[in-house]
Amino acid sequence: METEEYAPPRLFRDDAYSWPGDWEGRTLLGWTLLARSTRRPPEYLEEAIRMLPSRLNEKGFFGPVHPRGTVDEQQLSGNSWFLRALCEYYLWTKDDFALSVIHRLIDNLLLPAVGYYAEYPLDPVQRSYDGSAIGELFGKVGAWHLSTDIGCAFIMLDGATQAYLIVPKPELRDLIDEMIEKFMTADIIGLSFQTHATLSALRGILRHYETTGDPRLLEKAIDTFGVYMQRGMTENYANYNWFGRPDWTEPCAVVDSFIVAVGLWKHTGNSAYLEAAHHIYYNGLGYGQRPNGGFGCDVCAGVRDEMLSPKEGLYEAYWCCTMRGAEGLAKAIDSCYQATGRTIAIPFYESSTAVIAVGDGELKLATETDYPYEGVVRIEVMESTVAEPVTLRLFMPSWVERSTVALSVNGESKGTEIRDGFVSLAGHFPKGTLIELSFGIGLRKERAFGFHTTIEGYSYRHGPLLLGIDSPGSALAIGQDERMEPLGEGKYRLAPSNLTLSPVHDMIDKPLEESRQNRKQVLFRDY
């Protein structure tokens, strides 16, 4: 995101761009979140912020100022990313200019939409189903200029709900309520809603649940994400771009699905959502990230054949998915530790160091791990100012054989009761305490599950990692006489055929041209 496509002034699109604020907002958001997570200052962020006054319209947002009675859903969607970027930038810097733009955007773009969301067209005959990778405006119904990215108007739920946390205007709350009520009436399957729009709306609904405590909002998020997992998720835990249209995947939606899954785990305690987040992160985002760091679209494995590969012509969606990939990676960093009261949950295993506030003090933890290749986690307490007991909760996936789980503190074995997907350990953890967790990770087979998968067969897994065979030419069968020799790092050599199963998330490690041509068999027919 520091290549020439994103450098000011090229960052700013011209007036003909039909997604006002989208490119700029996603980029500013990605820079801000990565900077906060990695503590590395982005090269162009401050320059872009300084240029904003000359790039916004007279009302303080991107795109044309439409007359009363005209609403452009692509403009609302694009400016939602800009609004979120400003919110995150303000929360990080407390910058007065950013706050002033948030106020103007609310007053001049959002509040004029009050009353019109209730009239958002939800009749299937009023929509176009010929969308390309970049959505297009195709016509006007009532007040609404409509997009082939069906439902993208509801992406603004993400921006509006975050803005409400900063500027809690009653009129903005009324608009959010109106947006949610309309979304709740949408037949997302019958209308072939864009899955990215659906999941971004769920992000906003979950955030508003955190703000209001309204249980209906959590119920809606649970129900809709359940529909997505059943009808919108591919064999490598990416997405079908629209419900009912398995044309390609889109990392923007994969990022959204990861964030929603983590949020639902936090609010329900159901570790199945956390396990889904692991699968999404390693296999959906893992395959979608290219060797240059950007993100691109892939074919929907299992729909036409057994193969997973980059979608021709969409190797890198640098205009949207690369920037959202930055948010996904930043969220993954932020999700490694979750502190609530005197309890610290470790839902993801990454080698890392964290300072965590717990009740009366802080713990500094250093984690080393071989996950997801090996089930080995070592946590050392580097510093502690905590006087009272603390509970540590360590995630334990459902596919782990329980007899392989072992836990120790300073070499002393501890119990390993697993409850709600976690092993818990309570006590005082002074400086120098060493906690070690181990569990078995081996090879297993799982049935194909994609709603649009036409292949009767199964996949191979190593822990959360989906495995496949690179460039097999044509689809291969793995017979019962094949032996699987572990090679480490989730790889297996098949004997006597001498083929290799390897994780799909190794895409980022391939040479650039090899990754462009990658074709990986991830499904295997029943023999």
Side-chain angles (χ1 to χ4, degrees), residues 3 37 72 120 209 213 242 305 320 340 424 431 458 462-463 470 477 496:
T3 55
S37 296
D72 178 343
Y120 182 80
Y209 167 71
W242 296 272
D305 56 31
C320 65
T340 305
S424 293
K431 179 179 178 179
Y458 55 91
H462 177 86
D470 282 316

Side-chain angles (χ1 to χ4, degrees), residues 167-187:
V167 184
K169 290 189 173 185
E171 306 96 315
L172 180 55
R173 167 72 180 268
D174 291 342
L175 175 62
I176 292 169
D177 290 342
E178 179 185 338
M179 296 164 77
I180 291 174
E181 289 304 318
K182 189 64 175 182
F183 181 80
M184 285 187 167
T185 69
D187 177 4

Side-chain angles (χ1 to χ4, degrees), residues 424-446:
S424 293
L425 180 66
H428 291 89
F429 302 108
K431 179 179 178 179
T433 301
L434 180 62
I435 300 158
E436 295 181 285
L437 174 70
S438 63
F439 50 91
I441 298 181
L443 188 68
R444 69 184 193 282
K445 291 165 60 173
E446 291 196 6

Side-chain angles (χ1 to χ4, degrees), residues 337 344 346 348-350 352 356 364-369 376-382 392-394 407-410 425 429 432-437:
Y337 302 86
I344 300 172
I346 304 182
F348 296 92
Y349 297 126
E350 297 287 349
S352 56
I356 306 167
K364 182 177 181 180
L365 303 180
T367 299
E368 293 184 2
T369 183
V376 177
V377 184
R378 305 174 190 88
I379 304 167
E380 183 176 358
V381 180
M382 306 299 291
L392 294 179
R393 301 180 71 229
L394 310 176
L407 178 67
S408 68
V409 177
N410 296 328
L425 180 66
F429 302 108
T433 301
L434 180 62
I435 300 158
E436 295 181 285
L437 174 70

Side-chain angles (χ1 to χ4, degrees), residues 50-353:
R50 288 195 301 270
M51 293 181 69
L52 279 175
S54 66
R55 301 293 172 163
L56 301 175
N57 64 31
E58 65 270 25
K59 294 288 189 178
F61 53 88
F62 284 101
V65 178
H66 291 293
R68 180 73 179 171
T70 298
V71 190
D72 178 343
E73 70 172 327
Q74 289 188 177
Q75 183 179 36
L76 285 167
S77 173
N79 276 278
S80 179
W81 299 116
F82 178 52
L83 181 55
R84 282 212 54 232
L86 291 171
C87 290
E88 296 289 359
Y89 185 78
Y90 172 74
L91 292 170
W92 182 35
T93 66
K94 301 303 179 184
D95 181 75
D96 289 338
F97 168 70
L99 181 60
S100 71
V101 179
I102 293 169
H103 275 277
R104 296 190 71 201
L105 206 154
I106 291 170
D107 292 342
N108 298 328
L109 180 63
L110 287 187
L111 296 186
V114 170
Y116 293 107
Y117 266 93
E119 301 172 2
Y120 182 80
L122 292 179
D123 186 339
V125 302
Q126 297 173 321
R127 307 307 303 228
S128 170
Y129 301 94
D130 297 322
S132 60
I134 300 179
E136 301 168 347
L137 295 173
F138 69 89
K140 191 166 185 276
V141 176
W144 286 91
H145 286 294
L146 296 178
S147 174
T148 54
D149 280 356
I150 299 169
C152 69
F154 295 96
I155 288 176
M156 182 51 91
L157 268 172
D158 194 17
T161 54
Q162 187 165 32
Y164 181 70
L165 296 176
I166 298 170
V167 184
K169 290 189 173 185
E171 306 96 315
L172 180 55
R173 167 72 180 268
D174 291 342
L175 175 62
I176 292 169
D177 290 342
E178 179 185 338
M179 296 164 77
I180 291 174
E181 289 304 318
K182 189 64 175 182
F183 181 80
M184 285 187 167
T185 69
D187 177 4
I188 59 175
I189 301 298
L191 280 162
S192 191
F193 255 49
Q194 186 196 38
T195 51
H196 170 36
T198 303
L199 292 163
S200 289
L202 289 190
R203 285 159 48 94
I205 288 171
L206 272 177
R207 186 183 291 111
H208 209 51
Y209 167 71
E210 294 168 358
T211 303
T212 66
D214 183 350
R216 290 193 316 135
L217 302 183
L218 181 58
E219 291 168 7
K220 180 62 176 177
I222 291 170
D223 290 345
T224 305
F225 193 68
V227 172
Y228 169 74
M229 290 188 69
Q230 181 186 21
R231 303 284 293 267
M233 188 174 276
T234 71
E235 294 292 341
N236 68 309
Y237 301 88
N239 71 306
Y240 306 123
N241 198 52
W242 296 272
F243 284 108
R245 297 159 66 187
D247 298 329
W248 55 75
T249 71
E250 184 185 19
C252 295
V254 183
V255 167
D256 290 332
S257 70
F258 173 78
I259 296 172
V260 171
V262 173
L264 286 173
W265 162 68
K266 288 171 61 178
H267 292 304
T268 66
N270 185 344
S271 62
Y273 291 120
L274 185 53
E275 198 159 314
H278 278 238
H279 289 309
I280 292 165
Y281 177 73
Y282 288 111
N283 305 305
L285 286 178
Y287 191 80
Q289 189 171 24
R290 309 314 191 202
N292 69 343
F295 286 80
C297 305
D298 303 311
V299 302
C300 300
V303 173
R304 292 175 178 84
D305 56 31
E306 294 90 337
M307 306 299 173
L308 177 62
S309 66
K311 175 70 174 176
E312 185 177 357
L314 296 174
Y315 173 77
E316 185 190 354
Y318 58 87
W319 60 89
C320 65
C321 294
T322 291
M323 300 95 106
R324 289 301 317 293
E327 180 174 9
L329 296 177
K331 183 64 177 180
I333 293 171
D334 293 343
S335 299
C336 285
Y337 302 86
Q338 302 287 331
T340 305
R342 307 197 63 81
T343 298
I344 300 172
I346 304 182
F348 296 92
Y349 297 126
E350 297 287 349
S351 294
S352 56
T353 302

Side-chain angles (χ1 to χ4, degrees), residues 287 290-291 310 315 507 510-518:
Y287 191 80
R290 309 314 191 202
Y315 173 77
M507 189 70 152
K510 296 181 182 297
L512 184 62
E513 283 308 309
E514 182 181 329
S515 73
R516 288 182 181 276
Q517 304 302 319
N518 186 253

